[in-house]
Amino acid sequence: MEHITLLLTIVIVTALVFDFTNGFHDTANAMATTISTGAMKPKTAVAMSAVLNLVGAFLSVEVAKTISSGIVNESGITPEVIFAALVGAILWNLATWLIGLPSSSSHALMGGLIGATIASVGISGVNGGTVVTKVLIPAVAAPLVAGIAALLAARLTYRIGRKTGGKGTEKGYRAGQIASAGLVSLAHGTNDAQKTMGIITLALVAGGVLSPGSNPPMWVIVSAGVAIALGTYLGGWRIIRTMGKGLTDLQPQQGFAAQTSAASVILASSNLGFSLSTTHSCSGAVMGAGLGRKGGVVRWSTATRMFVAWGLTLPAAALVAAGSEYVTKQGDWGVAAVAVFLIASCAAIWLVSRRQVVDHTNVNDVHHGDGRPGAVDAAIAQDDLKTTIPSPAPSAPEAGPASRAAV
């Protein structure tokens, strides 16, 4: 019992570390467009997002129940399996954060849990039907639904406001963007904080502390909410830059459309218990909104890198988790070895990230991957031209905003 108690403590702490990385990894989902359009100052934006993430953690436990009793069979799960799953998820989160790619923390966790379970008890330990209906199908549908909704919403917004203009209208859209960003943050807390609640609950069931099918205890809900809020406040500035400036260029009208569409999709999925990727939803909405304006662009080179990361998330996290599970099965020394490996890897990634610091002071600098903030890579610039939706040439001598966006 003493060994199990110590191991459970390690698993719970590791789960909260994952929750923390989830927070700063996914801050961009709620606040990238708000920051990039200047609707809010960067530090103010992440502070508001952190508070609403914490509030959202208390609104539902449906997703937590999917994680704790739906993805894998509880009877074959041990705390070692969950620890190995978290190692795979954390390392994938940090690796994609380092290169500024908005991949899915949710799928990293799912991949880690599936890989560690298969390594421990075999494929029979995974509920394939639940994985398909509540993980894989939403993974494909969410960005498509959010993207189409954002595209239509952006076009409708421009059509409604085509006879109006000026600073007053733009100020109104900025206010709407702040409100919609708050809704995304609330939705993110409702959906993503629950995943850590579910994984801790699963660990407690595996350790014999809770009976199968139990809801997360209140202390689990509180600790998961606080961890994701702290991570959100830290701000994943690298991914915020990619989502806000590297993927497309948004005006306040488009930002409002993107965030409202993404929030609607996320909240609907949370109520249905789908383990949805908020990253997929928000990225799809940003791209849809980018194409919703005449002269708008999507930088498909950046989007392609992001799609590749999405495809690799489940198998990459699963492989790392499976390897970790193999080592942890060797006994106490195996658990210690994996823990040391995790800590050393996290430290190494952090040290590499210090070579080029991205924070609230330079998050809105244009950066296209050549190592110099503010530089425009020629290949990306050509890609922009290829993916620009052409707009009619203005009759006035001076080109309008839509034409300048197409250049």
Side-chain angles (χ1 to χ4, degrees), residues 59-75:
L59 297 184
S60 172
V61 294
E62 290 303 315
V63 174
K65 289 162 68 175
T66 296
I67 303 296
S68 63
S69 59
I71 300 294
V72 296
N73 297 323
E74 294 172 319
S75 58

Side-chain angles (χ1 to χ4, degrees), residues 255-269:
F256 173 71
Q259 290 170 317
T260 303
S261 301
S264 300
V265 172
I266 296 167
L267 286 173
S269 68

